[in-house]
Amino acid sequence: MQQLIEHAGLLLARDEQSFCSLKEIDISDTPEKIKYSPDFTPLLEPKAISASLDLPDNYVCIIPNNKMFAHEPVEFKHRYLNFLTETIGVVETLGLQAVLLNHEGEKDHKFCLELLSEQSNKPLYLKDLSALETKKIIGSSVFCVSSRFHGCVSSLSQGVPALATSWSHKYEELYRYYQCSEDLVDVSLSAERLKEKLVQIVKDRALVSSRLSKLAKQHRAMNREMWTMVFFVMS
């Protein structure tokens, strides 16, 4: 990384913790080239995309991630499965439809099939979608429950509340920016507490969506500033 820092014209860390880590190891003569700029995907606009899928009127995206348990003991995977199964159950008791969304990859597909095998009422399963189709579907949901970082970004930056599980500091940093750190949860969360949180999300949906949308507007402004820096350095 020190060699990369030395030879790069500009380095952009997408969260404060990564920014500080780069600063700590920097031994170059130009520390000012290390900048902070948040994830740039909010500028990708899916409005022009038509997702030709027969989706329910009121649905919740459930977005798993195999990285949640890839480096954990086997029992952790069971806890994660139970967490998602309980989540799907609570979503149904709220009168909403669960939509299982494979955000990326064959490993997530295998886990999604495993999760589906645990369900008596099989939720709709979506896979093999383009990035913009995926983002549009997330943006049209009542709320999301996501373990994929970009599932969370796509949700929050479109004003859609998202309960999340985390395997990396990048989730904590994202949720700190969007002022909703309380929506980061552990997979060991009790069924009762999980239901309380999801009920609260539905109850406060309009208010939370308005706050997220304001922060997303600022987020996109920082993205545009970042591209200005990039093209300035390139020129």
Side-chain angles (χ1 to χ4, degrees), residues 167-185:
W167 63 273
S168 162
H169 76 273
K170 59 188 178 181
Y171 293 81
E172 280 75 14
E173 292 288 310
L174 175 68
Y175 274 68
R176 182 177 60 81
Y177 172 78
Y178 276 97
Q179 301 174 15
C180 54
S181 297
E182 68 279 2
D183 290 336
L184 272 175
V185 297

Side-chain angles (χ1 to χ4, degrees), residues 2-67:
Q2 287 173 336
Q3 291 181 37
L4 288 172
I5 293 170
E6 181 182 356
H7 292 285
L10 176 67
L11 293 102
L12 295 157
R14 69 179 171 188
D15 61 65
E16 293 286 355
Q17 187 170 328
S18 298
F19 174 77
C20 292
S21 295
L22 284 174
K23 285 289 192 179
E24 285 177 10
I25 64 171
D26 178 29
I27 55 173
S28 72
D29 296 328
T30 52
E32 67 277 1
K33 66 186 175 183
I34 301 175
K35 309 286 188 185
Y36 158 71
S37 183
D39 184 271
F40 59 68
T41 57
L43 287 182
L44 295 171
E45 184 55 72
K47 286 181 181 176
I49 298 294
S50 70
S52 55
L53 296 165
D54 187 18
L55 291 166
D57 290 332
N58 296 298
Y59 63 90
V60 175
C61 281
I62 311 294
I63 308 173
N65 185 352
N66 72 88
K67 288 185 178 180

Side-chain angles (χ1 to χ4, degrees), residues 13 16 30 48 54 61 67 77 87 93 117-118 121 124 126 150 170 186 189 194 220 231:
E16 293 286 355
T30 52
D54 187 18
C61 281
K67 288 185 178 180
K77 180 181 179 181
T87 298
T93 65
S117 71
E118 301 280 328
N121 296 321
L124 176 64
L126 303 179
H150 280 108
K170 59 188 178 181
D186 190 274
L189 190 71
L194 175 63
R220 288 190 290 273
F231 289 120

Side-chain angles (χ1 to χ4, degrees), residues 6-234:
E6 181 182 356
H7 292 285
L10 176 67
L11 293 102
L12 295 157
R14 69 179 171 188
D15 61 65
E16 293 286 355
Q17 187 170 328
S18 298
F19 174 77
C20 292
S21 295
L22 284 174
K23 285 289 192 179
E24 285 177 10
I25 64 171
D26 178 29
I27 55 173
S28 72
D29 296 328
T30 52
E32 67 277 1
K33 66 186 175 183
I34 301 175
K35 309 286 188 185
Y36 158 71
S37 183
D39 184 271
F40 59 68
T41 57
L43 287 182
L44 295 171
E45 184 55 72
K47 286 181 181 176
I49 298 294
S50 70
S52 55
L53 296 165
D54 187 18
L55 291 166
D57 290 332
N58 296 298
Y59 63 90
V60 175
C61 281
I62 311 294
I63 308 173
N65 185 352
N66 72 88
K67 288 185 178 180
M68 281 293 301
F69 55 83
H71 303 291
E72 299 289 344
V74 174
E75 57 267 22
F76 186 88
K77 180 181 179 181
H78 295 319
R79 287 206 301 274
Y80 184 49
L81 267 171
N82 289 337
F83 169 81
L84 293 177
T85 296
E86 288 172 356
T87 298
I88 291 169
V90 172
V91 166
E92 291 172 348
T93 65
L94 295 175
L96 303 169
Q97 295 292 313
V99 172
L100 184 61
L101 179 60
N102 180 356
H103 200 281
E104 60 180 279
E106 183 61 26
K107 290 181 180 179
D108 280 4
H109 172 60
K110 289 179 180 178
F111 180 75
C112 284
L113 294 181
E114 194 171 344
L115 177 60
L116 284 169
S117 71
E118 301 280 328
Q119 314 305 312
S120 52
N121 296 321
K122 309 290 186 195
L124 176 64
Y125 176 40
L126 303 179
K127 61 183 179 68
D128 300 327
L129 303 176
S130 72
L132 288 177
E133 285 176 326
T134 298
K135 187 169 184 177
K136 189 176 184 72
I137 289 166
I138 290 172
S140 301
S141 59
V142 177
F143 66 88
C144 289
V145 179
S146 178
S147 300
R148 276 279 168 198
F149 178 74
H150 280 108
C152 297
V153 176
S154 291
S155 189
L156 299 177
S157 66
Q158 294 184 92
V160 177
L163 199 71
T165 63
S166 168
W167 63 273
S168 162
H169 76 273
K170 59 188 178 181
Y171 293 81
E172 280 75 14
E173 292 288 310
L174 175 68
Y175 274 68
R176 182 177 60 81
Y177 172 78
Y178 276 97
Q179 301 174 15
C180 54
S181 297
E182 68 279 2
D183 290 336
L184 272 175
V185 297
D186 190 274
V187 298
S188 299
L189 190 71
S190 70
E192 181 181 1
R193 184 69 185 117
L194 175 63
K195 184 173 183 178
E196 288 175 1
K197 290 194 75 68
L198 296 186
V199 167
Q200 196 66 43
I201 285 175
V202 173
K203 181 181 177 182
D204 297 338
R205 208 273 183 189
L207 182 64
V208 172
S209 179
S210 176
R211 187 183 76 240
L212 293 175
S213 295
K214 289 177 182 176
L215 291 165
K217 185 177 180 180
Q218 297 171 15
H219 188 162
R220 288 190 290 273
M222 287 189 282
N223 289 161
R224 285 188 285 271
E225 289 175 5
M226 178 211 70
W227 285 118
T228 299
M229 283 192 289
V230 168
F231 289 120
F232 177 78
V233 171
M234 288 174 66

